[in-house]
Amino acid sequence: MEGSRRPGDVIAERYRLIDLLNEARGALFWLAWDNVLARHVAVHIISEDDPRADELRAAARRSARILDPRLLRVLDIGTTSGACYVVNEWGEGVSLNNMLAEGPLAPRRAAWLIGEVSEMIAHAHAAGVAHGRLVPENVMIDNRGTVKVIGFAVDAALHGLPEGRTSTEVVDLAGLLYAALTGKWPGISTSSVKSAPQQHGRALRPRQVRAGVPRTLDTLCDEVLSPYPGPHDHGYDSAGAIAAALMDYVGDPTAMAEAEAARHRGNTNPRLPRIEALVLAPDPEPEPEPEPEPEPGPVTAPEPAEETVAGVPVFYDDDVDDVGWASPNPVPPPPPPPFEETPERPLFAPDPPEGRATRTPRPHENHDSAAYWPWETGTGTVPPSLDAEHDHEDDDSVPGRNWMRTAWIIAASLLILVAMLYAFNRGRDSGDDSDADDDGRATGTTAGNVVLKPVGISDLDPFGDPPEENPDLARLAIDGKPSTVWQTSGYRQDFGPGGLKPGVGLVIDLGSNKSIASVSVEVGADPTALELYVASGPEAPASVDGLDRVAGATSADGRALLRPKEAAPGRWVVLWLTSIPGGEGQHRGQISEIQVRE
C-alpha cells in the first residue's frame, strides 16, 4: 500500500494527497486537498485487510456523534482500491508536546488549556464516547488561539486500544495538567514527553518537580495520579469535576481565550499553499518557415547587445500577495566628488633665516632684544624693569614651588575629609539606635555585633491544609545567597481578617538560647509586613498563639529590620508574615535572606 500512494494521487475521486506526514504501524497519515469543498483535510489510510480496519470505521462513526468546537471532526469514511480511509478536519497550530519542548506553561494558562480539554471530554463521556488516547500529542492550540483535540477515538483504534476507556482518561487529564505545569508526563497512555520522576512507584507531586506550582493544582494532580484514602478527597473522579475545578481556578476563561488569541494574532508562519486544479500548458504554435539567407555583403561591426540588470523587489500592502520588481534607473548616477588632499604639514618648524635669532619676543613686548634673556642664545643682561620686579616678589619663580604648594593644599583637604568621615561614623555608631521603631519602616541599619548561624529552619503554616508552606524552599532563606528565595503560595487575597488566613512564617532554630538583638530580612517585593517572636524550649513552636511579639516592621527598598526594645532571649526565632504584596491577580511573599544578630 505504501508504494501505491504518492503525492498527487486522488482518493475516492475527491481527496488529492499532498504530503505524507506520518507512517507508523502500517497506517499512513496524509495532508490532502478536498477538491469539492476546496480546503485542506487530514486523511488516515490503512489496508482494508488490516485487523484494525473495522474498529477504525466504528471509531470514526462514534467520533462523528460528538459536536464540539474544540474537536477536529470526522468528515468522511470509506474504502477505495483496497484501502480503508478516514477523513478529518485539518488544523494548523502547535501541539502541547511541542509547546513543552520550550518549557512548562504558566499555572493559569495550563489550567485554562486543560480545563478546555476537560470540558470537551466531559461532553463526550456524557454521550458514552471516549477519546481513548489522551496524550500531549493530541492536544493543540491552533493559529487562532483555540484549543483543539486531535484524533478523537480514531487514534486509539489505530494504536489497537479498546474503546470506552473513560476511567483511564480521567487519569490522563490529570496527567495533561501535570505535564503542562512541569514538562514531564505521568499519565497511563504512552507519550513522547519525558516521563515524570517517581518515588516508591508514585509520581512526585508537581510542587516537588517545579517550584511555585499553586497548591490547588498540585492537590488535583496528586489526588488523581496517586489516589489514597483520606479525609481530604476532593472528588476529582470525573472529567466534569476536573473541568469545574480548573475553571474555578482560572476565574474568567473568556479573558484567557482572548489573551491566547492575541498571542497568536502576530503569527507569521506561512500558511499551507492552496491546491488548485491542474493547469495544462497550451499546444505549441507551429514554427514559422525559415526565411532565405541574405546574400553576403560588406562586413559590419555587430551592435552591442542590450544589457539586463535585475531590479529590486517591491513588496506591496499586506492584503496583496504579489511582489513587483523595480526597474533600474537607465541614467547612471554621477560619480562622487574626489577627496580633497590634506595639505602637508611640516613635522618641525623651519629654521629661521640666516642671521636671525631662534626665538623673538612678541610684538607687544617692549624689550631690548639685544640684551633680553632668553630670546637670545647669548649671555645678555636682564632688563632693569624685570630685575626690579623680582626684587619686590618672593622667589616664586623657583621651578616647582607652585606645584608643591598645590600638593600641600590637596593633602590637607584630604586629611580634613577623612577626619570628618571618621567623626561622622563614630557619632552614628555611638548614638541611640533609633533607625526604625517597633512598627515603623526599616532603614536598613542593623543592631548587634555578632551574626548568629542557624542550625535549621522550617516553614510555619498552622492554618493550611495540609499545614505546610513550601517547606522544601525554607533553607534558601538562610543559605547566604540573596539570589535564592523562599516564597509563599499564591493567594487571591492578602493575609488578615478578610483573607484566607492571618499569616504564614518561618521558624529559625539557633541550637540553644541566645540573646536576640535584631533580625534583618531581605524580601522579594515591597511592602511586606513582618512580626518577630522569640521562644525557648526543646520543641519548635507550632503557631504564634501564646508567643510574645517582640518587634514588627514593614519592608522598604527590599529590606526590613526587626529590633526588640530589649534583647530577647530564646532558641526559636519566629518570622511571621502578616501582609504580602500583590500582583498579576495574586498575593505572594518572598524572603531571600535572614540574618539574626546577638
Side-chain angles (χ1 to χ4, degrees), residues 440-456:
R441 292 186 176 272
T443 64
T445 305
T446 58
N449 297 322
V450 179
V451 177
L452 301 177
K453 185 176 181 180
V455 298

Side-chain angles (χ1 to χ4, degrees), residues 28 50 92 166 175 219 227 231 246 267 295 309 335 356 423 454 528 530 567:
L28 306 178
D50 194 294
E92 296 180 41
T166 55
T219 301
L246 293 179
N267 184 12
E295 296 181 0
V309 180
R356 188 173 179 183
T528 301
L530 307 104

Side-chain angles (χ1 to χ4, degrees), residues 111 115 118-119 177 216-217 220 234-236 238-251 492:
S118 301
E119 286 186 347
L177 178 61
T216 301
L217 306 183
L220 190 155
H234 292 80
Y236 303 128
S238 65
I242 293 177
L246 293 179
M247 289 308 179
D248 180 65
Y249 175 82
V250 170
R492 297 184 182 179

